[in-house]
Amino acid sequence: MGWLSFIGCMLTAYGPPSCIFILYVARNAQLVLLMMTSAFFWLISILFTSLIWYVAKPAQSNHAVTIFYSVLLQESFRVLFYILMRRAESGLNVVSKNPKSPLNKHSYAFVTGLGFGWVSGLVSYITLLAEALGPGMLPCISCPSVSLYFVSAIITALFTLLHITWMMLTFEGLVGSKSSYLFIWVIITHFGASYGTLLNSSNIPNGCVYSILIALIFLIVNTILVIRNLSRMSAQP
């Protein structure tokens, strides 16, 4: 479809995280470093996913199996990153602009979630985006009238934002047993949103719409949970 399709899909997929980075993260070198560190952790998780995919040749064509261990590895490295952040939190607070702010932890979670989501979107979508420069249109199987490039761009943007909320809920959910349900919710919604993408290539009519709706609903619920946690912390004396 050419340059118009390429630019439109690129802005759809990477516009929201780019705006967040420019308006919030780029102004603070500490936050930039945290974002890049978290992106590296996600890359390690996808490296292990690739190794398993390469070794498990019988399951290479089974996307459901690939999604299963991919999500498990991503969440495992999210937990590892949380443990690292807990150890480094006191030092990070010392050099932060507001050392005594109770919102520092949530700020770190927000930024590191952006790192997870941004590199996830780059790795998963950049190859398909490059194909949008071609002369034709690749239709989505479940929505033949819609370009797969555009559907995938929307999914990429939603997953980037989901990773931000997943990281913030993980940081809250792993603090103690009373809030552990938040991390359980993170795992459930990560699996749900990931398996929902299989609807794009299914024979279910308007499957791409359901796929987008699933991710959007999870994002709305996650955002409500994050806002509730922030409001509760702000109300504390």
Side-chain angles (χ1 to χ4, degrees):
M1 296 178 67
W3 281 102
L4 289 178
S5 175
F6 176 83
I7 294 174
C9 291
M10 180 181 66
L11 292 177
T12 301
Y14 302 128
S18 298
C19 290
I20 294 173
F21 177 79
I22 294 171
L23 296 176
Y24 177 64
V25 181
R27 301 178 180 183
N28 190 317
Q30 182 189 41
L31 298 183
V32 173
L33 290 174
L34 285 176
M35 191 189 81
M36 298 304 294
T37 304
S38 65
F40 179 70
F41 267 69
W42 187 90
L43 286 174
I44 296 176
S45 74
I46 210 64
L47 172 63
F48 279 97
T49 300
S50 301
L51 291 175
I52 295 174
W53 181 87
Y54 181 78
V55 172
K57 295 185 182 297
Q60 287 181 355
S61 59
N62 192 328
H63 299 303
V65 175
T66 303
I67 288 175
F68 179 78
Y69 60 75
S70 175
V71 171
L72 282 182
L73 283 169
Q74 288 181 56
E75 292 306 323
S76 297
F77 275 87
R78 197 191 305 276
V79 173
L80 289 175
F81 186 76
Y82 166 79
I83 294 173
L84 175 65
M85 287 295 296
R86 281 297 300 271
R87 292 178 177 271
E89 186 176 356
S90 58
L92 291 171
N93 287 339
V94 170
V95 296
S96 68
K97 291 184 178 180
N98 301 296
K100 297 183 179 180
S101 173
L103 296 177
N104 279 340
K105 182 182 72 172
H106 299 282
S107 176
Y108 301 152
F110 179 88
V111 172
T112 53
L114 178 63
F116 257 63
W118 207 349
V119 74
S120 171
L122 285 173
V123 171
S124 62
Y125 183 59
I126 195 67
T127 302
L128 184 61
L129 177 63
E131 294 182 6
L133 288 170
M137 183 193 83
L138 182 62
C140 181
I141 296 176
S142 60
C143 303
S145 61
V146 183
S147 165
L148 179 62
Y149 310 130
F150 184 61
V151 172
S152 298
I154 296 175
I155 293 292
T156 299
L158 289 174
F159 264 80
T160 302
L161 299 176
L162 277 169
H163 271 290
I164 295 175
T165 60
W166 284 332
M167 189 68 82
M168 295 186 75
L169 292 176
T170 296
F171 272 50
E172 186 70 22
L174 294 180
V175 170
S177 57
K178 292 184 179 180
S179 56
S180 59
Y181 70 94
L182 291 174
F183 181 62
I184 296 173
W185 172 252
V186 168
I187 297 175
I188 292 173
T189 53
H190 197 169
F191 273 114
S194 298
Y195 278 113
T197 60
L198 294 178
L199 294 171
N200 294 332
S201 57
S202 69
N203 295 320
I204 300 176
N206 299 317
C208 69
V209 177
Y210 301 137
S211 174
I212 293 171
L213 282 177
I214 289 172
L216 183 59
I217 290 172
F218 285 155
L219 178 60
I220 292 172
V221 175
N222 289 358
T223 303
I224 292 173
L225 290 174
V226 168
I227 293 175
R228 190 194 67 175
N229 290 331
L230 291 176
S231 300
R232 184 177 58 190
M233 175 165 288
S234 300
Q236 292 178 354

Short mmCIF file of all heavy atoms in Angstrom, two decimals, residues 5-6 17 81 111 117 130 136 143 157 163 170 177 188 202-203 218 229 235:
data_model
loop_
_atom_site.label_atom_id
_atom_site.label_comp_id
_atom_site.label_asym_id
_atom_site.label_seq_id
_atom_site.Cartn_x
_atom_site.Cartn_y
_atom_site.Cartn_z
N SER A 5 0.34 3.96 3.94
CA SER A 5 0.02 2.87 4.86
C SER A 5 1.11 2.69 5.90
O SER A 5 0.83 2.50 7.10
CB SER A 5 -0.17 1.57 4.07
OG SER A 5 -0.37 0.48 4.94
N PHE A 6 2.35 2.76 5.46
CA PHE A 6 3.48 2.58 6.36
C PHE A 6 3.48 3.63 7.47
O PHE A 6 3.59 3.31 8.66
CB PHE A 6 4.78 2.64 5.57
CG PHE A 6 6.03 2.56 6.41
CD1 PHE A 6 6.53 1.33 6.83
CD2 PHE A 6 6.70 3.71 6.78
CE1 PHE A 6 7.66 1.26 7.61
CE2 PHE A 6 7.84 3.65 7.56
CZ PHE A 6 8.33 2.42 7.98
N PRO A 17 3.39 5.24 22.70
CA PRO A 17 4.59 5.13 23.54
C PRO A 17 5.61 6.22 23.26
O PRO A 17 6.32 6.66 24.16
CB PRO A 17 5.15 3.74 23.21
CG PRO A 17 4.58 3.39 21.88
CD PRO A 17 3.22 4.04 21.86
N PHE A 81 12.85 -8.75 37.30
CA PHE A 81 13.14 -7.32 37.23
C PHE A 81 12.59 -6.60 38.47
O PHE A 81 13.23 -5.68 38.99
CB PHE A 81 12.54 -6.72 35.96
CG PHE A 81 12.91 -5.28 35.75
CD1 PHE A 81 14.17 -4.94 35.29
CD2 PHE A 81 12.02 -4.28 36.05
CE1 PHE A 81 14.53 -3.61 35.12
CE2 PHE A 81 12.37 -2.95 35.88
CZ PHE A 81 13.62 -2.62 35.41
N VAL A 111 7.62 3.55 34.04
CA VAL A 111 8.67 3.69 33.04
C VAL A 111 9.20 2.33 32.58
O VAL A 111 9.42 2.11 31.38
CB VAL A 111 9.82 4.56 33.61
CG1 VAL A 111 11.01 4.55 32.66
CG2 VAL A 111 9.34 5.97 33.84
N GLY A 117 7.00 -2.77 27.08
CA GLY A 117 6.03 -2.68 25.99
C GLY A 117 6.61 -2.17 24.70
O GLY A 117 6.28 -2.68 23.61
N ALA A 130 7.30 -3.25 7.91
CA ALA A 130 8.13 -3.05 6.72
C ALA A 130 7.43 -3.56 5.46
O ALA A 130 7.58 -2.99 4.37
CB ALA A 130 9.47 -3.74 6.90
N GLY A 136 0.79 -3.95 -2.48
CA GLY A 136 -0.53 -4.53 -2.24
C GLY A 136 -0.95 -4.45 -0.79
O GLY A 136 -0.25 -3.90 0.06
N CYS A 143 -11.01 -10.63 9.20
CA CYS A 143 -11.64 -9.38 8.73
C CYS A 143 -11.08 -9.04 7.36
O CYS A 143 -10.19 -8.18 7.25
CB CYS A 143 -11.39 -8.24 9.71
SG CYS A 143 -11.93 -8.56 11.40
N ALA A 157 -0.12 -1.19 19.76
CA ALA A 157 -0.29 -0.04 20.65
C ALA A 157 -0.97 -0.45 21.96
O ALA A 157 -0.55 -0.02 23.05
CB ALA A 157 -1.12 1.03 19.94
N HIS A 163 1.42 -3.43 28.84
CA HIS A 163 2.66 -3.73 29.56
C HIS A 163 2.93 -2.69 30.65
O HIS A 163 3.47 -3.03 31.72
CB HIS A 163 3.83 -3.81 28.59
CG HIS A 163 4.06 -5.17 28.01
ND1 HIS A 163 4.52 -6.23 28.78
CD2 HIS A 163 3.89 -5.65 26.76
CE1 HIS A 163 4.63 -7.30 28.01
NE2 HIS A 163 4.25 -6.99 26.80
N THR A 170 2.10 -5.39 38.85
CA THR A 170 3.06 -6.35 39.37
C THR A 170 3.82 -5.77 40.56
O THR A 170 4.01 -6.43 41.59
CB THR A 170 4.05 -6.78 38.28
OG1 THR A 170 3.35 -7.46 37.23
CG2 THR A 170 5.12 -7.71 38.83
N SER A 177 1.04 -10.45 50.57
CA SER A 177 0.02 -11.45 50.23
C SER A 177 -1.36 -10.81 50.03
O SER A 177 -2.18 -11.34 49.28
CB SER A 177 -0.07 -12.49 51.35
OG SER A 177 -0.35 -11.87 52.60
N ILE A 188 -3.25 -13.66 34.23
CA ILE A 188 -4.48 -14.07 33.53
C ILE A 188 -4.73 -13.18 32.32
O ILE A 188 -5.03 -13.66 31.22
CB ILE A 188 -5.68 -14.01 34.50
CG1 ILE A 188 -5.54 -15.10 35.58
CG2 ILE A 188 -7.00 -14.19 33.73
CD1 ILE A 188 -6.59 -15.01 36.66
N SER A 202 -8.08 -16.45 12.64
CA SER A 202 -9.10 -17.51 12.70
C SER A 202 -10.14 -17.30 11.60
O SER A 202 -10.14 -16.29 10.90
CB SER A 202 -9.78 -17.51 14.07
OG SER A 202 -10.59 -16.35 14.22
N ASN A 203 -11.04 -18.27 11.49
CA ASN A 203 -12.14 -18.17 10.53
C ASN A 203 -13.40 -17.58 11.15
O ASN A 203 -14.47 -17.60 10.53
CB ASN A 203 -12.45 -19.56 9.95
CG ASN A 203 -11.30 -20.10 9.12
OD1 ASN A 203 -10.65 -19.35 8.38
ND2 ASN A 203 -11.02 -21.39 9.25
N PHE A 218 -9.26 -5.36 28.84
CA PHE A 218 -8.23 -5.62 29.84
C PHE A 218 -7.49 -4.33 30.20
O PHE A 218 -7.16 -4.09 31.36
CB PHE A 218 -7.24 -6.67 29.34
CG PHE A 218 -7.79 -8.07 29.35
CD1 PHE A 218 -7.28 -9.04 28.50
CD2 PHE A 218 -8.79 -8.43 30.22
CE1 PHE A 218 -7.77 -10.35 28.52
CE2 PHE A 218 -9.31 -9.72 30.25
CZ PHE A 218 -8.79 -10.67 29.39
N ASN A 229 -5.28 2.11 43.08
CA ASN A 229 -4.12 1.96 43.96
C ASN A 229 -3.43 3.29 44.22
O ASN A 229 -3.02 3.59 45.35
CB ASN A 229 -3.12 0.97 43.36
CG ASN A 229 -3.64 -0.46 43.37
OD1 ASN A 229 -4.43 -0.83 44.23
ND2 ASN A 229 -3.21 -1.26 42.41
N ALA A 235 -4.37 9.01 49.48
CA ALA A 235 -5.25 9.30 50.61
C ALA A 235 -4.60 9.00 51.95
O ALA A 235 -5.08 9.46 52.99
CB ALA A 235 -6.54 8.50 50.47
#
